[in-house]
Amino acid sequence: QVQLVESGGGLVQPGGSLRLSCAASGSIFSIAVMGWYRQAPGKGRELVARMTSGGSANYADSVKGRFTISRDNAKNTVLLQMNSLKPEDTAVYYCNAIRVISAVPNNYWGQGTQVTVSS
Protein backbone atom coordinates (compact mmCIF):
# COMPACT_ATOMS: atom_id res chain seq x y z
CA GLN A 1 0.00 0.00 0.00
CA VAL A 2 0.94 3.61 -0.57
CA GLN A 3 -0.02 6.39 1.81
CA LEU A 4 -0.29 9.95 0.53
CA VAL A 5 -0.38 12.96 2.84
CA GLU A 6 -1.19 16.38 1.42
CA SER A 7 -0.57 19.81 2.88
CA GLY A 8 -0.66 23.44 1.82
CA GLY A 9 -4.28 24.20 1.05
CA GLY A 10 -6.13 27.23 2.37
CA LEU A 11 -7.87 30.48 1.57
CA VAL A 12 -6.28 32.92 -0.86
CA GLN A 13 -7.42 36.01 -2.72
CA PRO A 14 -7.75 36.00 -6.50
CA GLY A 15 -4.35 36.51 -8.08
CA GLY A 16 -2.59 34.96 -5.13
CA SER A 17 -0.44 31.85 -4.84
CA LEU A 18 -0.41 28.60 -2.91
CA ARG A 19 1.86 25.60 -2.91
CA LEU A 20 0.55 22.10 -2.31
CA SER A 21 2.78 19.29 -1.14
CA CYS A 22 2.21 15.54 -1.14
CA ALA A 23 4.44 13.02 0.58
CA ALA A 24 4.26 9.33 -0.29
CA SER A 25 5.18 6.55 2.11
CA GLY A 26 4.75 2.80 2.37
CA SER A 27 5.29 0.61 -0.68
CA ILE A 28 6.63 3.39 -2.85
CA PHE A 29 8.69 1.18 -5.10
CA SER A 30 7.53 1.40 -8.71
CA ILE A 31 5.51 4.58 -8.37
CA ALA A 32 5.37 5.62 -12.00
CA VAL A 33 3.22 8.75 -11.88
CA MET A 34 2.36 11.30 -9.22
CA GLY A 35 -0.01 14.15 -9.68
CA TRP A 36 -2.92 16.27 -8.59
CA TYR A 37 -6.62 16.13 -9.29
CA ARG A 38 -9.36 18.43 -8.06
CA GLN A 39 -13.07 18.30 -7.46
CA ALA A 40 -15.25 21.37 -7.21
CA PRO A 41 -18.71 21.24 -5.59
CA GLY A 42 -21.19 19.53 -7.87
CA LYS A 43 -18.53 18.53 -10.39
CA GLY A 44 -16.50 15.46 -11.17
CA ARG A 45 -12.87 14.93 -10.30
CA GLU A 46 -10.53 16.30 -12.96
CA LEU A 47 -6.83 16.10 -13.67
CA VAL A 48 -4.84 19.22 -12.76
CA ALA A 49 -1.28 18.09 -13.43
CA ARG A 50 0.81 14.95 -13.26
CA MET A 51 4.42 13.96 -13.70
CA THR A 52 6.10 10.69 -14.48
CA SER A 53 9.14 9.40 -12.64
CA GLY A 54 11.12 10.41 -15.71
CA GLY A 55 10.03 14.03 -15.37
CA SER A 56 7.46 14.25 -18.13
CA ALA A 57 4.56 16.50 -17.11
CA ASN A 58 1.17 17.34 -18.46
CA TYR A 59 -1.38 19.90 -17.34
CA ALA A 60 -5.05 20.66 -17.72
CA ASP A 61 -5.55 23.45 -20.24
CA SER A 62 -7.20 25.58 -17.56
CA VAL A 63 -4.02 25.73 -15.45
CA LYS A 64 -1.29 25.87 -18.09
CA GLY A 65 1.02 28.81 -17.51
CA ARG A 66 -0.22 29.29 -13.95
CA PHE A 67 0.50 26.00 -12.18
CA THR A 68 3.79 24.11 -12.03
CA ILE A 69 4.24 20.54 -10.87
CA SER A 70 7.54 19.25 -9.59
CA ARG A 71 8.66 15.98 -8.13
CA ASP A 72 11.45 14.91 -5.80
CA ASN A 73 11.89 11.21 -6.43
CA ALA A 74 14.44 10.87 -3.62
CA LYS A 75 11.96 12.28 -1.10
CA ASN A 76 8.90 10.73 -2.75
CA THR A 77 7.13 14.06 -2.82
CA VAL A 78 5.25 16.00 -5.44
CA LEU A 79 4.63 19.74 -5.30
CA LEU A 80 2.10 21.91 -7.06
CA GLN A 81 2.92 25.60 -7.25
CA MET A 82 -0.26 27.51 -8.04
CA ASN A 83 0.04 31.13 -9.15
CA SER A 84 -2.48 33.66 -10.43
CA LEU A 85 -5.26 31.77 -8.72
CA LYS A 86 -8.83 32.31 -9.86
CA PRO A 87 -12.13 31.70 -8.07
CA GLU A 88 -12.77 28.81 -10.45
CA ASP A 89 -9.71 27.06 -9.00
CA THR A 90 -11.67 26.57 -5.79
CA ALA A 91 -11.90 22.84 -5.13
CA VAL A 92 -10.67 19.98 -3.02
CA TYR A 93 -7.29 18.97 -4.39
CA TYR A 94 -6.28 15.32 -4.23
CA CYS A 95 -2.83 13.84 -4.57
CA ASN A 96 -2.62 10.74 -6.75
CA ALA A 97 0.02 8.10 -7.24
CA ILE A 98 0.06 5.29 -9.76
CA ARG A 99 2.16 2.29 -8.84
CA VAL A 100 2.71 -0.32 -11.51
CA ILE A 101 2.82 -3.90 -10.23
CA SER A 102 3.31 -6.67 -12.78
CA ALA A 103 2.26 -4.25 -15.52
CA VAL A 104 -0.99 -3.46 -13.70
CA PRO A 105 -1.50 0.17 -12.62
CA ASN A 106 -2.72 0.72 -9.06
CA ASN A 107 -4.16 4.08 -8.07
CA TYR A 108 -3.71 5.62 -4.64
CA TRP A 109 -5.31 8.81 -3.32
CA GLY A 110 -4.67 11.27 -0.56
CA GLN A 111 -7.40 12.57 1.73
CA GLY A 112 -7.68 15.88 -0.11
CA THR A 113 -6.92 19.46 0.83
CA GLN A 114 -9.28 22.40 0.36
CA VAL A 115 -8.24 25.34 -1.80
CA THR A 116 -10.55 28.35 -1.70
CA VAL A 117 -9.94 31.39 -3.90
CA SER A 118 -12.11 34.27 -2.80
CA SER A 119 -11.94 37.93 -1.97
Side-chain angles (χ1 to χ4, degrees):
Q1 292 293 319
V2 174
Q3 293 79 44
L4 302 173
V5 178
E6 302 124 330
S7 60
L11 172 65
V12 65
Q13 293 186 343
S17 298
L18 280 176
R19 188 176 75 166
L20 304 183
S21 177
C22 174
S25 61
S27 301
I28 58 177
F29 183 71
S30 295
I31 290 179
V33 182
M34 293 188 74
W36 294 92
Y37 288 70
R38 68 186 180 187
Q39 187 165 16
K43 296 187 177 181
R45 192 172 295 189
E46 64 174 0
L47 172 70
V48 177
R50 61 187 175 191
M51 179 174 277
T52 68
S53 57
S56 177
N58 62 291
Y59 297 87
D61 288 342
S62 59
V63 307
K64 284 180 181 177
R66 299 188 299 121
F67 291 11
T68 301
I69 189 170
S70 59
R71 186 172 167 180
D72 186 333
N73 289 330
K75 295 182 178 180
N76 301 304
T77 60
V78 62
L79 304 176
L80 185 69
Q81 179 65 43
M82 305 186 293
N83 299 327
S84 302
L85 282 160
K86 304 175 181 180
E88 50 264 43
D89 294 317
T90 295
V92 177
Y93 284 69
Y94 296 91
C95 181
N96 170 260
I98 300 175
R99 181 172 169 238
V100 179
I101 306 170
S102 300
V104 176
N106 294 265
N107 271 281
Y108 301 90
W109 296 93
Q111 79 284 359
T113 185
Q114 178 70 46
V115 171
T116 302
V117 185
S118 175
S119 55

